[in-house]
């Protein structure tokens, strides 16, 4: 296993971290298969993984629920005497906060679930612009100061599903940020904060942790023939998993890549790759860019996110509606994009709020019939997915 310093935390972390959002289950998401989960975590820790990332709602029946991931992790670490061997990263459920005292209430609850006196890395979970404005008004920064002083938290940060302007505003608001978790893979260089966010973290010496390195597995499953043909042309042959992970580990602005491994085979495979990272050559980089371009030709429409159609008088978030629709079509993964669509786009801003008023007619440089395309978005995701 290879290790790196996690920004200004000075913590020495494995370049591969264990994401505990997709632990093996039995029958339902909240019923963790404890025997298999213990086996794969033990193998991972025994072979060098020293960071486990979880969160309050992971492995719950619903996104607002009290999840079982933290409970399992706490019991597992205590029963197997692994607590001193790993860093625990978990997240404050920002969307549940109604008053300042709620921050400490949930932190204490998480400390109890994790069976520990101190959380190594505590992140404000999945901050959006609205969530950030809400928790600031509730004096979340005072709470973080108090928790650092008391020792309940060792290092603080946030996870982000927002655009770069809000991301920078959050970074600028608090000098004590030490770790940030963002989504990144070779397809998402310009999605949400992307490479611009990583550049900013590097400039500030803030530790970077990466989620969705395989886009929920979609970059390594059901590879389109057009993409596989490109991979087959590479001078250095790699599996799709190797391409995705080594792309990240060859970046000097990436510290730790989290993988939601749920089988022993996946853990062994990823540890082997992390222990023998091959250099991405200039020709390899060109090939990766060509693969990304090829994936993007498989989208549902030709929206370029130029913004000429915005703002919509009805408040429809046209750009992000099209973005999630196109990603779902590109990766043949409507369910994965639906999770983003319904959780990150406010209800009144979704495609079904379009009334075909005509204000966006003739303004699209790509000459898209925007109301018609929004109707396709609404039909694509469908009401059956509206439970995320």
């Amino acid at each position: 296993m290879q290790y790196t310093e996690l920004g200004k935390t000075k913590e020495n972390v494995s370049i591969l971290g264990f994401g505990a959002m997709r632990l093996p289950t039995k029958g339902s998401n909240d019923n963790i298969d404890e025997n298999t989960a213990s086996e794969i975590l033990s193998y991972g820790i025994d072979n060098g993984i020293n960071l486990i990332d979880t969160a309050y709602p992971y492995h719950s029946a619903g996104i607002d629920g009290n999840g079982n991931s933290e409970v399992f992790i706490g019991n597992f670490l205590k029963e197997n005497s692994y607590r001193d061997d790993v860093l625990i990263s978990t997240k404050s459920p920002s969307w549940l906060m109604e008053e300042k005292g709620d921050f400490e209430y949930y932190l204490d609850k998480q400390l109890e679930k994790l069976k520990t006196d101190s959380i190594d890395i505590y992140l404000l979970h999945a901050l959006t612009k609205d969530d950030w404005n809400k928790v600031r008004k509730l004096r979340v920064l005072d709470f973080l100061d108090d928790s650092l002083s008391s020792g309940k938290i060792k290092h603080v940060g946030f996870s982000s599903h927002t655009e770069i302007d809000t991301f920078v505003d959050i970074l600028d608001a608090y000098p004590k940020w030490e770790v940030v978790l963002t989504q990144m893979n070779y397809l998402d260089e310009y999605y949400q904060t992307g490479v611009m966010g990583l550049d900013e973290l590097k400039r500030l010496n803030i530790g970077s942790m990466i989620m969705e390195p395989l886009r929920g597995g979609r970059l390594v499953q059901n590879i389109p023939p057009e993409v596989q043909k490109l991979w087959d042309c590479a001078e250095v042959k790699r599996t799709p998993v190797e391409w995705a992970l080594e792309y990240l580990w060859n970046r000097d602005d990436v510290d730790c890549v989290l993988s939601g491994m749920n089988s022993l085979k996946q853990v062994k495979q990823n540890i082997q790759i992390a222990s023998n990272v091959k250099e991405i050559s200039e020709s390899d980089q060109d090939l990766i860019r060509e693969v990304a371009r090829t994936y993007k030709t498989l989208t549902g429409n030709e929206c370029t996110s130029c913004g000429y159609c915005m703002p919509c008088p009805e408040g429809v978030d046209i750009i992000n509606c099209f973005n999630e629709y196109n990603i779902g079509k590109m990766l043949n993964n409507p369910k994965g994009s639906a999770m983003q669509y319904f959780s990150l786009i406010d209800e009144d801003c979704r495609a079904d709020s379009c009334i075909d008023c005509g204000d966006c007619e003739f303004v699209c440089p790509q000459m898209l019939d925007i109301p018609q395309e929004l109707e396709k978005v609404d039909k694509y995701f469908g009401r059956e997915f509206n439970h995320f």
Side-chain angles (χ1 to χ4, degrees):
M1 179 60 65
Q2 297 182 33
Y3 298 85
T4 190
E5 197 169 87
L6 187 62
K8 64 178 72 172
T9 69
K10 304 298 183 183
E11 299 283 4
N12 201 36
V13 300
S14 53
I15 62 172
L16 174 66
F18 210 114
M21 185 176 76
R22 297 186 177 99
L23 295 171
T25 58
K26 292 180 177 179
S28 62
N29 182 59
D30 57 332
N31 185 20
I32 296 171
D33 182 343
E34 297 190 2
N35 289 335
T36 304
S38 295
E39 179 186 25
I40 63 178
L41 276 169
S42 294
Y43 184 91
I45 296 170
D46 291 343
N47 286 275
I49 294 177
N50 71 350
L51 189 147
I52 299 175
D53 177 78
T54 184
Y56 182 80
Y58 288 177
H59 286 286
S60 65
I63 195 168
D64 290 336
N66 183 358
N68 292 327
S69 177
E70 288 178 322
V71 174
F72 169 75
I73 296 297
N75 289 334
F76 166 80
L77 294 177
K78 183 174 182 180
E79 291 169 5
N80 295 279
S81 302
Y82 278 130
R83 179 63 185 97
D84 293 337
D85 299 322
V86 300
L87 299 170
I88 295 176
S89 169
T90 195
K91 309 175 189 74
S92 173
S94 307
W95 59 92
L96 295 179
M97 306 306 169
E98 299 298 335
E99 56 186 49
K100 182 176 183 290
D102 289 344
F103 293 109
E104 187 165 10
Y105 167 81
Y106 283 103
L107 172 59
D108 287 344
K109 198 169 183 178
Q110 290 173 283
L111 287 166
E112 182 180 354
K113 289 167 68 179
L114 288 163
K115 290 184 166 47
T116 186
D117 296 326
S118 180
I119 292 171
D120 301 295
I121 300 169
Y122 198 59
L123 309 175
L124 303 184
H125 196 173
L127 288 185
T128 63
K129 184 175 182 178
D130 289 344
D131 283 336
W132 171 240
N133 290 334
K134 173 186 173 182
V135 297
R136 283 206 75 179
K137 289 178 182 177
L138 296 177
R139 297 169 55 200
V140 67
L141 301 183
D142 290 343
F143 156 74
L144 294 177
D145 283 341
D146 293 343
S147 298
L148 287 167
S149 296
S150 69
K152 289 183 178 181
I153 298 172
K154 292 182 180 177
H155 307 291
V156 298
F158 61 93
S159 67
S160 171
H161 289 284
T162 188
E163 303 304 319
I164 190 65
D165 54 347
T166 301
F167 186 77
V168 172
D169 287 344
I170 298 171
L171 288 174
D172 288 345
Y174 192 54
K176 296 181 183 178
W177 298 127
E178 294 180 276
V179 183
V180 173
L181 173 61
T182 61
Q183 178 167 320
M184 184 62 176
N185 52 68
Y186 63 75
L187 206 58
D188 286 337
E189 289 189 336
Y190 301 101
Y191 175 68
Q192 296 180 354
T193 55
V195 293
M196 292 184 290
L198 290 178
D199 285 345
E200 192 68 9
L201 296 181
K202 182 182 177 184
R203 184 182 72 81
L204 297 171
N205 192 29
I206 292 175
S208 62
M209 301 199 310
I210 301 299
M211 57 181 153
E212 299 295 346
L214 309 181
R215 258 283 176 173
R218 298 302 168 177
L219 294 181
V220 300
Q221 298 169 355
N222 303 318
I223 306 296
E226 306 95 316
V227 170
Q228 189 59 56
K229 185 176 180 180
L230 290 169
W231 288 145
D232 291 341
C233 293
E235 293 179 8
V236 177
K237 305 303 180 186
R238 292 175 169 89
T239 65
V241 177
E242 287 176 305
W243 281 113
L245 294 179
E246 292 185 342
Y247 158 81
L248 291 167
W249 285 325
N250 271 265
R251 299 185 63 92
D252 63 2
D253 50 13
V254 168
D255 295 327
C256 181
V257 176
L258 302 177
S259 180
M261 299 168 282
N262 57 25
S263 72
L264 187 58
K265 179 181 178 181
Q266 289 177 356
V267 177
K268 289 181 176 181
Q269 178 185 53
N270 289 357
I271 287 175
Q272 183 177 20
I273 299 169
S275 302
N276 300 279
V277 179
K278 298 187 290 291
E279 181 182 357
I280 297 285
S281 67
E282 189 172 334
S283 62
D284 289 338
Q285 292 172 1
D286 290 340
L287 180 60
I288 290 172
R289 284 190 286 269
E290 185 60 29
V291 166
R293 282 193 291 267
T294 300
Y295 266 117
K296 289 172 184 177
T297 64
L298 307 175
T299 56
N301 64 43
E302 296 181 357
C303 174
T304 63
S305 301
C306 69
Y308 282 101
C309 58
M310 300 287 285
C312 166
E314 296 300 315
V316 178
D317 189 349
I318 299 171
I319 291 175
N320 282 320
C321 286
F322 285 169
N323 188 48
E324 298 306 334
Y325 169 66
N326 282 326
I327 289 171
K329 295 283 280 188
M330 178 171 51
L331 298 178
N332 191 25
N333 183 24
K335 186 174 181 180
S337 279
M339 183 173 68
Q340 300 280 81
Y341 179 77
F342 286 112
S343 62
L344 300 180
I345 301 177
D346 291 339
E347 183 175 0
D348 294 339
C349 301
R350 295 173 193 155
D352 61 344
S353 293
C354 174
I355 63 169
D356 198 3
C357 67
D359 276 24
C360 58
E361 283 191 68
F362 312 118
V363 300
C364 176
Q366 311 305 319
M367 294 186 289
L368 297 177
D369 183 333
I370 293 173
Q372 186 178 73
E373 292 299 317
L374 287 170
E375 188 176 344
K376 291 179 184 177
V377 172
D378 187 44
K379 184 177 180 180
Y380 178 74
F381 288 125
R383 300 300 178 186
E384 68 269 23
F385 287 129
N386 193 2
H387 63 273
F388 293 101

